[in-house]
Amino acid sequence: MPFVSIRITREGNTVEQKAQVIREVTETLERVLNKPPHLTHIVIEEVDTDNWGYAGQTTTAFRRQAAEGKT
């Protein structure tokens, strides 16, 4: 039973977009690994940009600096 966990930042991703990701990941596992869709589980977790960090700062702060031309 495949289980795929996808984490993305919460930025207005639509229900339709997330459904497409789930559908296409499921199709890929079926096509490439012969995994049956009815046994494939996909979880999308959306994380606020204040809770996602890299380069020593939150994504929110990093993007703010980038918008101000400070990166």
Side-chain angles (χ1 to χ4, degrees):
M1 166 178 80
F3 173 82
V4 179
S5 178
I6 300 170
R7 289 189 181 129
I8 58 176
T9 53
R10 186 183 326 262
E11 300 182 82
N13 307 300
T14 68
V15 170
E16 293 80 13
Q17 289 170 322
K18 291 182 278 185
Q20 181 178 353
V21 168
I22 291 168
R23 185 173 53 255
E24 291 185 16
V25 169
T26 300
E27 289 168 355
T28 298
L29 289 172
E30 180 180 24
R31 185 181 69 253
V32 175
L33 300 177
N34 299 314
K35 298 299 181 181
H38 72 279
L39 296 178
T40 300
H41 299 261
I42 312 292
V43 174
I44 297 176
E45 297 177 76
E46 291 184 284
V47 179
D48 290 327
T49 58
D50 288 339
N51 297 327
W52 190 300
Y54 61 97
Q57 57 191 333
T58 67
T59 300
T60 304
F62 185 87
R63 289 184 180 165
R64 186 178 326 112
Q65 289 180 356
E68 295 170 356
K70 296 181 181 178
T71 58

